[in-house]
Amino acid sequence: MRRLNIATVLFVAGCGPLVLAQSAAPASGQQPPVTVKRQPPPAPTKKNQAAPPLLQQYDFGAQLQALQDVDAMTPGSTVDAGVNSGGEGGKVPKEFRPSPDIPLSPTAVEAVRMSETWRGGQNVPAAGPDGRVLYAFGGGLPVLVCAPLRVCILELQAGEKIVGEPQIGDSVRWNISPGMYGDGDQATQMIVLKPQEAGLDTNLLVATDRRAYYLRLVSKPQEYVARVAFRYPEDENSQKWKQHLIEQRAQERDTKHQADILPAMITAEKLNFGYKVIGGNEHLRPVRIYDDGAKTYIQMSPDMQNREAPALVVLGADGKGEMTNYRVREQTYIVDRLFDRARLVLGSGKKAQKVEISREPKG
């Protein structure tokens, strides 16, 4: 019986499908030589050829053919993945199409329609100063056309401040950076836009402390708009009304002033300047006193507006003060009656300063 060396047995066990052929041991008692020969692997059986159940669900041949079909890759088309889902031959039926969208309610459909109408509306631009293109804010969707290697500027209203970071639909292929010129209330915020290539179409949202701007951004190979700004019809109308109210109030004041002062100056024949003034200093003494036959006017010096105004007391025949209606307009006392004697009093007690006014009879 042949005997094998232990090393030979271990070598054969590690060589897999190798067949050993050993010649007869020589009579001299030496170890017999070992012959090694490579044997081809056994042919695979049906059991080895079977694919896992998960892979058996897919028709990889159909998928490869669909991917090579250019027409099948157009937008809106569907590709038959070859999944065994109960159809004929284990494929999805041709008439089956997965739902590409979510159905909208009538309210949502109307909202989309209104938004499309606004986006598609015509917001006619107008030429502004320094090359600006002016859009009416709120009049429709403004469009900013840019070009590669060109800078486009979006200007806001003077004094308006950007709140937060502007949001852009395509932040990869559009470069956006802030800017500003001017100072104080006239400081104007800017947004600088640069597309990296032509044929881009996205949108931009800018929130400020006054309003929110929503724009469409388009990039063209050559055409571009350098500066875009806005007109604000609501603010302009509001400003016009404010200015109108200010002018109206000023006119009312002038009219009232004329009603109080000018009637005394209708004709020189009706004015009586026959009044005598005694006492007081240059700040307390009236500059002019006259009447028009119905009212008496006591005109004081202009510096009275920066000083304490004296009180006017009309004296009766007994020398006592009488109740009298008067008012002060433009440093002028307007008394709603005629009087023979009156007194201007500043202060009280012994230190009170007094000016005596008396009406002289016409000669």
Side-chain angles (χ1 to χ4, degrees):
M1 187 175 189
R2 296 190 181 96
R3 297 170 57 186
L4 297 178
N5 191 298
I6 296 177
T8 303
V9 174
L10 295 175
F11 173 78
V12 172
C15 291
L18 297 179
V19 178
L20 303 180
Q22 183 181 20
S23 60
S28 60
Q30 299 179 352
Q31 295 291 337
V34 177
T35 302
V36 179
K37 182 179 180 182
R38 183 177 179 83
Q39 184 177 358
T45 62
K46 293 183 179 180
K47 183 177 181 181
N48 295 333
Q49 291 179 348
L54 179 62
L55 297 180
Q56 292 179 11
Q57 299 179 9
Y58 297 90
D59 187 352
F60 293 100
Q63 294 182 30
L64 180 61
Q65 183 178 1
L67 293 174
Q68 294 175 349
D69 187 0
V70 178
D71 296 335
M73 300 305 294
T74 57
S77 62
T78 57
V79 178
D80 187 359
V83 181
N84 294 336
S85 54
E88 183 179 356
K91 299 180 180 180
V92 176
K94 294 182 178 181
E95 63 275 8
F96 172 76
R97 292 292 182 271
S99 176
D101 202 353
I102 298 175
L104 299 177
S105 65
T107 302
V109 171
E110 181 65 17
V112 171
R113 185 192 64 79
M114 295 176 64
S115 179
E116 291 176 349
T117 302
W118 178 79
R119 295 197 307 269
Q122 187 176 9
N123 190 351
V124 180
D130 301 330
R132 294 179 179 88
V133 175
L134 300 179
Y135 284 103
F137 181 82
L141 179 64
V143 181
L144 179 55
V145 181
C146 301
L149 304 179
R150 297 291 185 267
V151 172
C152 294
I153 299 175
L154 172 64
E155 296 186 12
L156 307 183
Q157 191 178 28
E160 193 171 13
K161 298 179 181 180
I162 299 176
V163 179
E165 181 180 358
Q167 301 298 318
I168 187 170
D170 186 354
S171 60
V172 176
R173 296 178 293 180
W174 285 83
N175 298 329
I176 179 172
S177 58
M180 185 181 68
Y181 67 88
D183 55 3
D185 295 339
Q186 297 302 316
T188 302
Q189 301 278 346
M190 300 188 305
I191 295 178
V192 182
L193 296 159
K194 293 186 293 183
Q196 297 183 5
E197 58 186 81
L200 304 180
D201 189 351
T202 186
N203 51 12
L204 174 68
L205 173 63
V206 182
T208 71
D209 58 347
R210 299 179 183 176
R211 57 185 63 88
Y213 296 85
Y214 188 86
L215 301 92
R216 179 186 177 189
L217 305 180
V218 178
S219 65
K220 300 284 288 183
Q222 298 294 334
E223 302 93 332
Y224 72 100
V225 179
R227 302 175 70 178
V228 167
F230 290 88
R231 294 185 297 107
Y232 305 91
E234 294 185 359
D235 290 1
E236 293 173 1
N237 293 336
S238 176
Q239 187 64 28
K240 290 179 181 178
W241 278 107
K242 289 180 180 178
Q243 185 64 28
H244 173 72
L245 293 176
I246 292 175
E247 294 176 355
Q248 185 177 11
R249 293 191 185 100
Q251 186 177 5
E252 291 175 353
R253 287 194 300 268
D254 293 341
T255 302
K256 191 174 182 180
H257 174 72
Q258 296 295 331
D260 292 338
I261 302 298
L262 292 182
M265 303 178 181
I266 297 176
T267 58
E269 291 80 6
K270 293 184 178 181
L271 298 182
N272 176 30
F273 292 90
Y275 288 85
K276 183 171 62 175
V277 178
I278 301 175
N281 55 28
E282 67 274 12
H283 302 297
L284 190 59
R285 291 172 62 89
V287 176
R288 187 179 294 108
I289 303 175
Y290 56 91
D291 67 76
D292 60 358
K295 297 179 181 180
T296 305
Y297 301 87
I298 304 173
Q299 184 177 353
M300 306 297 290
S301 62
D303 61 353
M304 193 187 77
Q305 62 181 348
N306 300 321
R307 295 175 177 271
E308 184 181 358
L312 176 64
V313 179
V314 175
L315 303 177
D318 57 357
K320 296 182 180 180
E322 297 179 352
M323 294 294 297
T324 305
N325 292 329
Y326 73 91
R327 55 199 173 278
V328 180
R329 295 285 187 273
E330 301 292 335
Q331 292 82 50
T332 300
Y333 288 76
I334 303 173
V335 186
D336 294 333
R337 54 170 286 191
L338 301 178
F339 58 81
D340 293 329
R341 295 176 59 197
R343 182 181 298 158
L344 292 173
V345 181
L346 180 62
S348 60
K350 295 181 180 181
K351 296 183 179 180
Q353 302 180 48
K354 300 178 182 180
V355 174
E356 300 289 340
I357 302 173
S358 59
R359 185 171 184 263
E360 296 180 347
K362 292 183 179 180

